[in-house]
């Protein structure tokens, strides 16, 4: 459920009519709903209520806006970060260092050091090599780094191949059959407090079976480690729960996920950790755009909107579907291609889509754009960075300014020796 609803023929975000935001902030603009974010955060937490003190770390990559992170910190969420930049953000937004988990296959020396200096809660180590590097830094600092070892369970998440992470050929985690040996070796390092296992098999999962298969393997590994004398007190089950991108699409509810996890982990005797991203933020945001023109096509018209693949990359990158709706629908429908202004054919949001009839100047939204939307924006074609707005009841705030192409150019120089 979200808080983007039509009232008297106009689409509102909570109690704010979207035409007002378009007028005052301009388009394209991401609009997030505070009530929806809070609702999703609570629904996910409630789904895990049978577990003993689960730790929930929002996957910052899904929506790193400082206001969004602050709101989630207020809900008791921690953060799952994958770079020094995300770590800095999470801290700046008010997340407690001990509630932060550092994931990622390529943490640099400087990033490992930053994590240690900030006193973060857990490093999710993705390789033996990374473990030894962290151990050496920790020793130098006279610290012990709390760590989970991320395993690659070789499970097909049955999602888009580019966001599938748990198959043996993927770069993530250590192979399951080597995990016990690596864990045991790293546990001997005085700089490391090896305390758990982490797993994350992919994103936008449409069914729970692959997760169940992966978690089953983690459970068996925990038993094996304990039998071998290792201590295991934590298990991080990652993120991955999918969200509906098409009206009417059925996906497993957080409650079903929670029930599955509760059943599977009953005798694990660990503190469970989670890294949800999309399920919290996805349906809490829309990308508001204005129609530039309707161009006659050979079979169908091209609806050219002012948002483009640099603002919302998912359709171009993954062929992803985002529902598209007029802000003030007339009730009339047509079939059209929806495209942005960027100079490549990949800048296509939809082909042959049944949509509301729209005219130049009209407003529309791409739905389910709150996760992996603004965060993946670029300034390609010198279009600048898209703005972001957070609505709360009948008020809203611009939570990220539009960064104009000119401001980006301010960081560029032409060396003297090129100026004749
Ligand atoms: N934990 C780890 C280690 C991850 O790599 C990810 C996502 C998550 C948690 C959060 O997963 P979620 O709950 O959001 O599914 N840009 C792509 C999605 C990439 C996901 C990367 N990792 C997209 O737009 O679909």
């Amino acid at each position: 459920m979200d808080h983007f609803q039509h009232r008297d023929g106009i689409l509102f975000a909570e109690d704010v009519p979207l035409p007002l935001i378009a007028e005052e902030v301009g388009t394209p603009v991401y609009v997030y709903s505070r009530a929806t974010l809070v609702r999703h955060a609570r629904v996910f937490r409630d789904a895990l209520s049978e577990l003993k003190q689960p730790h929930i770390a929002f996957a910052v990559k899904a929506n790193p806006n400082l206001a969004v992170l602050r709101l989630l910190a207020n809900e008791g969420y921690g953060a799952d970060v994958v770079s020094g930049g995300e770590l800095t953000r999470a801290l700046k937004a008010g997340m407690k260092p001990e509630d932060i988990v550092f994931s990622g296959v390529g943490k640099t020396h400087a990033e490992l050091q930053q994590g240690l200096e900030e006193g973060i809660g857990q490093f999710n180590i993705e390789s033996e090599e990374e473990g030894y590097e962290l151990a050496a830094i920790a020793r130098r600092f006279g610290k012990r780094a709390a760590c989970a070892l991320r395993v690659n369970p070789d499970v097909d998440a049955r999602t888009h191949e580019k966001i599938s992470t748990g198959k043996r050929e993927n770069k993530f985690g250590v192979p399951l059959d080597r995990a016990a040996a690596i864990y045991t070796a790293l546990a001997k390092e005085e700089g490391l407090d090896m305390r758990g296992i982490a797993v994350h098999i992919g994103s936008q999962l449409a069914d729970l079976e692959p997760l169940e298969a992966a978690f089953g393997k983690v459970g068996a590994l925990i038993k094996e480690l304990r039998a071998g004398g290792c201590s295991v007190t934590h298990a991080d089950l990652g993120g991955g729960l999918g969200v509906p991108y098409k009206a009417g699409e059925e996906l497993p509810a957080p409650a079903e996920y929670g029930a599955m996890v509760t059943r599977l982990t009953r005798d694990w005797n660990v503190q469970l950790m989670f890294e949800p991203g999309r399920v919290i933020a996805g349906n809490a945001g829309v990308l508001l755009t204005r129609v530039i023109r309707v161009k006659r096509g050979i079979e169908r018209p091209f609806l050219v909107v002012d948002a483009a693949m640099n603002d919302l990359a998912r359709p171009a990158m993954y062929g992803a579907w985002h529902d598209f709706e007029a802000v003030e629908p007339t009730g009339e429908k047509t079939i059209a291609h929806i495209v942005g202004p960027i100079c490549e054919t990949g800048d296509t949001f939809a082909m042959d889509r049944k949509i509301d009839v729209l005219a130049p100047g009209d407003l529309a939204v791409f739905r389910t754009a709150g996760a992996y939307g603004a965060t993946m924006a670029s300034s390609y074609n010198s279009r600048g960075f898209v703005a972001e707005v957070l609505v709360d009841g009948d008020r809203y705030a611009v939570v990220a300014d539009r960064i104009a192409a000119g401001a980006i150019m301010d960081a560029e120089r032409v060396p003297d020796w090129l100026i004749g």
Side-chain angles (χ1 to χ4, degrees):
M1 207 216 108
D2 62 59
H3 290 75
F4 298 94
Q5 310 287 345
H6 281 95
R7 283 189 205 163
D8 298 328
I10 299 176
L11 188 60
F12 277 63
E14 302 191 19
D15 299 326
V16 179
L18 289 179
L20 180 72
I21 294 175
E23 185 65 32
E24 294 185 356
V25 186
T27 54
V29 58
Y30 279 92
V31 182
Y32 310 130
S33 150
R34 176 175 183 267
T36 312
L37 284 162
V38 167
R39 190 189 128 77
H40 291 172
R42 292 182 185 170
V43 164
F44 191 80
R45 197 180 48 207
D46 290 350
L48 305 175
S49 60
E50 298 285 309
L51 304 173
K52 214 167 57 194
Q53 293 184 320
H55 178 72
I56 311 178
F58 176 65
V60 170
K61 62 174 84 68
N63 190 324
N65 185 277
L66 288 174
V68 170
L69 297 184
R70 178 54 187 246
L71 179 163
L72 292 171
N74 292 347
E75 287 298 311
Y77 273 53
D80 166 55
V81 303
V82 293
S83 69
E86 285 193 353
L87 173 53
T88 304
R89 272 178 182 280
L91 292 169
K92 189 168 178 187
M95 302 269 186
K96 290 197 236 95
E98 61 268 31
D99 289 341
I100 298 176
V101 176
F102 203 152
S103 302
V105 73
K107 303 177 201 79
T108 63
H109 194 87
E111 286 173 328
L112 291 170
Q113 191 164 316
Q114 185 188 353
L116 267 177
E117 280 170 347
E118 298 292 358
I120 63 161
Q122 180 171 297
F123 290 85
N124 286 354
I125 296 297
E126 298 235 8
S127 65
E128 213 170 343
E129 297 82 352
E130 182 190 350
Y132 288 121
E133 188 166 346
L134 179 60
I137 304 171
R139 258 200 324 271
R140 237 190 11 255
F141 278 65
K143 293 196 174 195
R144 281 190 93 204
C147 293
L149 181 66
R150 178 166 175 184
V151 296
N152 182 322
D154 192 23
V155 168
D156 184 352
R158 290 185 234 143
T159 183
H160 192 281
E161 62 164 16
K162 287 191 184 166
I163 54 174
S164 170
T165 53
K167 286 195 281 184
R168 59 184 313 151
E169 63 270 28
N170 300 142
K171 66 181 175 179
F172 300 98
V174 301
L176 205 59
D177 54 4
R178 293 189 46 226
I182 295 174
Y183 192 98
T184 309
L186 291 177
K188 296 197 176 92
E189 289 293 313
E190 82 189 66
L192 304 182
D193 169 20
M194 290 306 294
R195 66 176 201 179
I197 297 296
V199 71
H200 171 80
I201 61 170
S203 196
Q204 185 56 14
L205 269 62
D207 67 86
L208 296 177
E209 251 173 55
L211 286 170
E212 186 161 346
F215 299 165
K217 293 185 180 194
V218 169
L221 175 62
I222 292 174
K223 274 208 184 105
E224 183 188 341
L225 285 168
R226 284 183 176 149
C230 288
S231 157
V232 183
T233 56
H234 291 73
D236 183 338
L237 301 184
L241 213 50
V243 300
Y245 278 92
K246 286 183 191 170
E249 205 177 356
E250 289 284 332
L251 276 116
E256 293 168 57
Y257 170 82
M260 180 273 283
V261 169
T262 306
R263 171 167 53 77
L264 230 68
T265 62
R266 192 151 283 141
D267 61 351
W268 286 17
N269 200 16
V270 292
Q271 183 184 18
L272 288 171
M273 305 169 75
F274 299 88
E275 303 168 352
R278 192 186 315 259
V279 74
I280 306 297
N283 278 305
V286 299
L287 173 59
L288 178 59
T289 184
R290 202 180 279 283
V291 177
I292 297 175
R293 83 180 40 89
V294 184
K295 172 182 166 172
R296 185 177 307 162
I298 293 174
E299 274 157 18
R300 311 260 185 239
F302 288 98
L303 189 76
V304 189
V305 296
D306 68 0
M309 65 189 279
N310 72 303
D311 306 305
L312 177 63
R314 304 192 69 260
M317 271 185 91
Y318 317 114
W321 175 291
H322 285 260
D323 272 351
F324 181 78
E325 252 179 75
V327 168
E328 297 179 65
T330 60
E332 246 187 298
K333 297 277 184 187
T334 184
I335 296 179
H337 310 311
I338 311 166
V339 300
I342 281 184
C343 296
E344 55 180 281
T345 302
D347 188 25
T348 296
F349 292 108
M351 295 295 284
D352 299 309
R353 182 79 72 90
K354 187 170 177 205
I355 57 167
D356 300 307
V357 169
L358 287 158
D362 286 351
L363 294 167
V365 295
F366 291 101
R367 285 215 174 232
T368 317
Y372 308 109
T375 177
M376 290 172 67
S378 77
S379 66
Y380 186 38
N381 276 209
S382 292
R383 286 172 44 87
F385 281 98
V386 61
E388 296 165 80
V389 158
L390 180 66
V391 171
D392 173 35
D394 61 3
R395 62 183 172 178
Y396 75 85
V398 177
V399 292
D401 287 340
R402 190 177 307 285
I403 302 177
I408 297 168
M409 264 176 270
D410 287 346
E412 299 175 23
R413 322 250 174 286
V414 179
D416 289 348
W417 39 264
L418 281 179
I419 302 168

